[in-house]
Amino acid sequence: GAVVSQHPSRVICKSGTSVKIECRSLDFQATTMFWYRQFPKKSLMLMATSNEGSKATYEQGVEKDKFLINHASLTLSTLTVTSAHPEDSSFYICSARERGPSTDTQYFGPGTRLTVL
Amino acid sequence: GESVGLHLPTLSVQEGDNSIINCAYSNSASDYFIWYKQESGKGPQFIIDIRSNMDKRQGQRVTVLLNKTVKHLSLQIAATQPGDSAVYFCAETYPPYGQNFVFGPGTRLSVLP
């Protein structure tokens, strides 16, 4: 299957700082990537849809100025958590849409564990 | 603050037994379904998919069954192993595929020795 990577896998930062998380599709081009947040023992919560070359589409309740998304190329989307606070601590997961002659599905990255002190 | 999410139902099975994980989907227009496996601290991993023109699809030790009449999807794991312990999510989607994914709440599978 398609491979999606995330970097970093784990990050600890101080309150008030900004953290950037990268999501890369390694063996396919993804015009669309997705960012999810997951709390312990909970399901995935879609935060935003990242479209290459255009603005991201945010889900209701997700602050676009706090969670900045950039999809500058067909293989890279970044999520920047600005002025992070302890309540932003979570597991952030990206996925990338792979479209082909016989497929159209999402493949997920390994996730990034963010801890804000 | 923490979002209001769904607490995961849990299925416990003995090692070597077969597991059946169920999922009800909501959209009659959904015609493509995927099962994902998520191990602790990792991202979801694609397991198997099925399109609505099929009612059964088999992979290695896994089988997905689709009942469109009652909008029900199931994942069967044969001879469950400790490494199968994880959370399993179903996802439904409809055109444009890959864009309109709706994930189920997930089921935690615990394999007992």
Side-chain angles (χ1 to χ4, degrees):
Chain A
V3 179
V4 176
S5 71
Q6 273 183 250
H7 177 80
S9 58
R10 187 181 296 269
V11 57
I12 301 172
C13 69
K14 293 182 178 180
S15 185
T17 60
S18 294
V19 175
K20 179 185 285 188
I21 303 170
E22 293 185 348
C23 178
R24 294 182 185 272
S25 55
L26 298 186
D27 50 1
F28 66 100
Q29 293 184 330
T31 55
T32 306
M33 292 184 174
F34 304 87
W35 287 97
Y36 294 85
R37 185 172 180 176
Q38 188 176 38
F39 292 101
K41 300 184 179 180
K42 300 289 178 62
S43 186
L44 301 163
M45 182 186 80
L46 179 64
M47 297 174 64
T49 301
S50 171
N51 299 298
E52 188 267 337
S54 64
K55 292 183 178 180
T57 303
Y58 290 82
E59 296 299 302
Q60 190 173 8
V62 178
E63 298 176 59
K64 60 180 66 175
D65 293 331
K66 180 162 187 64
F67 299 100
L68 301 178
I69 291 173
N70 183 278
H71 195 154
S73 77
L74 289 172
T75 59
L76 172 64
S77 176
T78 61
L79 168 69
T80 301
V81 183
T82 62
S83 187
H85 288 93
E87 58 264 32
D88 298 324
S89 298
S90 192
F91 193 51
Y92 292 88
I93 305 172
C94 74
S95 70
R97 180 184 183 186
E98 184 190 31
R99 302 180 70 180
S102 60
T103 186
D104 190 345
T105 191
Q106 291 185 33
Y107 291 94
F108 288 84
T112 297
R113 172 76 58 193
L114 171 63
T115 302
V116 184
L117 303 177
Chain B
E2 187 168 309
S3 68
V4 178
L6 296 171
H7 290 276
L8 301 174
T10 299
L11 173 67
S12 297
V13 299
Q14 291 292 139
E15 182 178 354
D17 287 353
N18 297 333
S19 303
I20 300 177
I21 301 171
N22 296 304
C23 181
Y25 65 94
S26 56
N27 192 338
S28 298
S30 295
D31 58 2
Y32 179 44
F33 306 87
I34 307 98
W35 279 100
Y36 292 93
K37 172 186 180 183
Q38 186 178 26
E39 297 176 85
S40 181
K42 299 182 180 179
Q45 176 187 7
F46 178 96
I47 300 175
I48 192 168
D49 59 358
I50 188 169
R51 297 197 178 274
S52 60
N53 60 350
M54 303 173 70
D55 53 22
K56 180 179 180 180
R57 189 163 188 230
Q58 289 185 295
Q60 188 176 11
R61 277 202 309 120
V62 295
T63 301
V64 55
L65 299 177
L66 175 63
N67 185 330
K68 296 180 288 293
T69 302
V70 295
K71 297 204 284 274
H72 184 267
L73 193 67
S74 69
L75 177 70
Q76 299 180 0
I77 304 174
T80 312
Q81 302 170 358
D84 295 327
S85 294
V87 175
Y88 291 81
F89 293 96
C90 67
E92 58 178 301
T93 187
Y94 47 91
Y97 301 116
Q99 185 82 25
N100 302 308
F101 264 59
V102 177
F103 288 92
T107 297
R108 181 177 301 281
L109 176 64
S110 294
V111 181
L112 308 174

